[in-house]
Amino acid sequence: MKPVIDQDTCIGCGGCAEICPSVFQLNEEIEKAEVIDEGGCEIAGCCEAAEENCPVSAITLVGE
């Protein structure tokens, strides 16, 4: 599965980066989260938790 962040919805809380730092990071320039390793979900196994804990549902896992 591939994580996708809706940049228009993201509020830049950084929760996804805390839960799954190998896949997500907070871009401080734009104050939004971004995906740094699309394939990391398969290895890290934490993308589902990041998706579930996003307060504004900005993360979608494509290919589930």
Side-chain angles (χ1 to χ4, degrees):
M1 76 193 99
K2 174 182 163 186
V4 177
I5 299 174
D6 182 339
Q7 294 295 314
D8 293 330
T9 304
C10 178
I11 58 172
C13 72
C16 57
E18 289 179 23
I19 292 169
C20 200
S22 61
V23 177
F24 303 98
Q25 79 175 8
L26 186 61
N27 182 325
E28 294 184 16
E29 285 184 24
I30 61 171
E31 298 180 343
K32 305 276 182 173
E34 62 186 5
V35 176
I36 56 172
D37 183 4
E38 289 182 354
C41 286
E42 303 299 323
I43 298 166
C46 53
C47 291
E48 292 88 352
E51 177 186 37
E52 290 170 9
N53 287 285
C54 179
V56 292
S57 300
I59 300 171
T60 304
L61 300 178
V62 179
E64 290 188 90

